[in-house]
Amino acid sequence: MLAGAGAATITAKAPVRNKHNRRALAEDVRSEMRWAWRNYREHAWGKDQIRPISGGNESFPLKNHHLGLTLIEALDTLWIMGLDDEFRDGVEWIKANLDFDVDGEVSVFETSIRLVGGLLSAHHACGDPVLLAKAKDLADRLLPSFNASPIGIPHRFINLKTGALRGPETNPAETGTFIPEFGFLSRARGDDRYRAAAKRALVSMFERRSKIGLLADSIDCMTGEWKSRRATIGPPSDSYYEYLWDGWDLLGDRDCLAMYRTCTAAILKHQPLRRGGDLWFGNVDFETGKPLDTEQDELGSFYGGLLAQGGNPAVGRAHTRTWAKVQKRYGVLPESVDSRDMAALSKTNDLRPELADAAFNHWLIDGREEWREIVRDHYLAMKRWNRARYGYADLADVTSNPRIQSDHCPGYWWSEQMKYYYLIFANTPRVDYRKLYLSTEGNVLRGLRRP
Ligand code: IFL
């Protein structure tokens, strides 16, 4: 389908300096969320993902079985926006229908960040013990993947019913993106097993860093042998670094802070790539630091926000501004660009939240208007190009005019960018912005205020 046809058109960009315009933007985001939710409610209720062009549905993370992924991802966003009837409806569905005893295989990483995290943030919002119990049941089904490895690094896939494992060849993100969810669960249940497993995996990966302090992006989880030479701050390593910081931020774990600092020092020494006024982080050989290619993955655009959180705001700002230039060129970001000239190397757009995530994190730290402007542009371009008949859709090509949409809406859309947009414009009393903690999937595990 061609985007723009039939979609609501935006006629002007609202200056974000003006309070009324910010309020209007927040209201607009809220009303888009409600519209998308109603479509999901009507056409794909209880399914994992709605197909936004046809109104059909598709399952994820299981192949042939639905777990209500979208509604679980959406819950804390609905709650923050004060869409309380919708929130209650979702919680009721979970209580009546959600059952993880399914003979099917899931990604351990995706299941933890999306489903365990989504249930925990909904529990944080309303305190319902059933949500916590469901999160525990699911985490119990993921834990064997950690325990099966002599070095504590999980296999990539596990069968939810039988515990059968697959995928020993894994990577930093799928090794180390567990500690906030598992740590929260351990605290809430008074059972340290979850936190300890997540921490062991983080440390085990860290101990395998090269002499110059970098991690490669593929490893055997049973032997600890590296399977690649490429160090990157993009996928599949990105959220490993994010969760080192988060282990400190959310749980006060000093080892995580020390590991974050060690990894960051190595990255800042070997990976910055300056071109004109732009700052990228290159993909390099993990033992020599030698540059490998010039590709920059959109998922890496979260990194400027993380650097600012971790105490390197100037470098972080430079990187986020570089990605904001890419946004100025394309409107909606392509999946990857060439750092030499910002040419799109992968022209698709998977409704990605990372640039909005980074800008939001900068704004929480320094309150500058420029971050709100980046987020506003992100939102307006998405509304213009990604809005389809039944919801928001990926783009098959961000360079065509009009843009071409694909019939897919990822679960993270409900948990991430809609929340960042709303939070940056709304100033809602439901959130203590100074305490706010957001997971890699945008799930709030600290800082919600019940009315
Ligand atoms: O699942 C999302 C999350 O932000 C993540 N990686 C990619 C997704 C969004 O692009 O950690």
Side-chain angles (χ1 to χ4, degrees):
M1 174 188 174
L2 296 183
T9 42
I10 304 291
T11 49
K13 289 185 176 183
V16 293
R17 245 167 250 292
N18 180 309
K19 209 159 77 187
H20 300 294
N21 288 337
R22 283 208 300 274
R23 206 169 291 150
L25 275 163
E27 258 323 298
D28 199 61
V29 172
R30 186 174 183 271
S31 115
E32 286 303 289
M33 181 76 181
R34 188 193 296 207
W35 167 79
W37 176 265
R38 280 189 187 147
N39 278 315
Y40 171 73
R41 183 82 181 77
E42 204 169 307
H43 300 280
W45 189 231
K47 303 294 183 199
D48 287 331
Q49 293 171 148
I50 187 168
R51 290 191 181 274
I53 298 175
S54 61
N57 62 73
E58 58 188 328
S59 70
F60 180 82
L62 285 160
K63 248 201 194 103
N64 295 309
H65 186 96
H66 292 263
L67 298 168
L69 174 79
T70 281
L71 73 86
I72 295 173
E73 297 234 40
L75 283 179
D76 64 342
T77 310
L78 296 170
W79 190 89
I80 286 169
M81 293 178 176
L83 294 170
D84 295 335
D85 292 343
E86 287 83 350
F87 176 83
R88 258 192 305 275
D89 216 9
V91 172
E92 287 315 314
W93 184 90
I94 289 172
K95 288 175 151 181
N97 300 288
L98 189 57
D99 182 1
F100 293 122
D101 199 28
V102 184
D103 189 359
E105 186 184 70
V106 295
S107 150
V108 177
F109 157 79
E110 297 287 7
T111 303
S112 180
I113 62 171
R114 294 163 183 255
L115 293 167
V116 176
L119 290 164
L120 292 177
S121 59
H123 170 71
H124 175 40
C126 69
D128 193 315
V130 175
L131 299 170
L132 185 62
K134 298 272 183 202
K136 177 196 174 314
D137 175 40
L138 185 53
D140 284 340
R141 295 170 191 273
L142 302 181
L143 263 189
S145 66
F146 292 79
N147 300 335
S149 155
I151 57 172
I153 292 185
H155 279 71
R156 295 184 64 212
F157 301 100
I158 193 164
N159 182 300
L160 285 178
K161 197 185 191 71
T162 67
L165 297 168
R166 186 173 68 84
E169 197 167 319
T170 185
N171 53 64
E174 291 182 76
T175 294
T177 313
F178 297 92
I179 199 160
E181 292 84 2
F182 280 27
F184 182 104
L185 185 58
S186 277
R187 274 186 182 167
R189 298 283 310 187
D191 176 350
D192 198 44
R193 286 178 306 137
Y194 310 100
R195 186 209 58 82
K199 171 94 179 267
R200 185 166 174 234
L202 270 179
V203 172
S204 192
M205 171 65 63
F206 178 76
E207 282 171 347
R208 287 168 173 78
R209 70 196 183 283
S210 71
K211 287 202 177 87
I212 63 170
L214 298 178
L215 304 173
D217 66 359
S218 180
I219 195 168
D220 186 308
C221 78
M222 300 301 276
T223 64
E225 190 193 335
W226 289 114
K227 294 289 183 184
S228 83
R229 301 195 59 82
R230 177 179 176 263
T232 180
I233 57 106
S237 297
D238 42 8
S239 48
Y240 177 84
Y241 302 111
E242 186 179 356
Y243 271 22
L244 288 178
W245 175 256
D246 289 10
W248 159 246
D249 181 5
L250 185 68
L251 306 174
D253 186 318
R254 293 200 164 273
D255 297 336
C256 287
L257 178 61
M259 291 189 286
Y260 173 80
R261 285 188 173 147
T262 302
C263 287
T264 305
I267 291 167
L268 292 181
K269 183 160 179 201
H270 298 287
Q271 294 188 245
L273 203 61
R274 292 181 194 277
R275 286 190 197 278
D278 300 334
L279 174 65
W280 302 102
F281 287 91
N283 304 317
V284 303
D285 184 285
F286 82 121
E287 285 180 323
T288 65
K290 192 172 154 258
L292 296 179
D293 58 57
T294 55
E295 184 159 12
Q296 295 287 310
D297 200 296
E298 187 280 344
L299 276 89
S301 66
F302 85 101
Y303 194 60
L306 175 62
L307 284 174
Q309 287 180 294
N312 295 96
V315 195
R317 284 195 295 268
H319 188 51
T320 304
R321 285 174 186 147
T322 301
W323 275 107
K325 274 168 80 173
V326 183
Q327 172 166 274
K328 281 258 179 271
R329 179 182 300 188
Y330 295 97
V332 175
L333 291 178
E335 285 294 291
S336 75
V337 296
D338 191 321
S339 61
R340 289 170 299 189
D341 55 4
M342 294 186 184
L345 295 178
S346 167
K347 295 182 178 174
T348 58
N349 166 267
D350 292 356
L351 265 178
R352 295 289 183 187
E354 284 76 17
L355 180 58
D357 180 3
F360 179 60
N361 279 322
H362 284 293
W363 176 78
L364 284 174
I365 290 162
D366 64 25
R368 294 181 195 203
E369 289 299 326
E370 69 173 296
W371 311 122
R372 277 189 169 136
E373 282 162 17
I374 290 170
V375 172
R376 175 203 58 201
D377 292 352
H378 198 271
Y379 173 61
L380 294 182
M382 179 193 77
K383 193 169 171 191
R384 176 169 185 203
W385 296 117
N386 299 72
R387 197 180 201 272
R389 181 155 184 207
Y390 300 104
Y392 278 79
D394 290 0
L395 296 179
D397 187 344
V398 301
T399 62
S400 66
N401 206 350
R403 310 291 191 267
I404 298 160
Q405 296 179 335
S406 334
D407 202 6
H408 175 75
C409 177
Y412 53 76
W413 180 84
W414 304 84
S415 181
E416 294 208 56
Q417 56 261 58
M418 293 305 276
K419 188 181 285 137
Y420 310 142
Y421 302 148
Y422 186 74
L423 284 172
I424 208 168
F425 299 125
N427 195 18
T428 169
R430 291 202 170 189
V431 167
D432 182 340
Y433 284 76
R434 285 159 312 165
K435 291 203 180 134
L436 187 60
Y437 168 81
L438 292 155
S439 75
T440 191
E441 190 73 2
N443 288 311
V444 181
L445 298 181
R446 184 182 66 206
L448 295 182
R449 285 200 288 224
R450 292 189 201 151

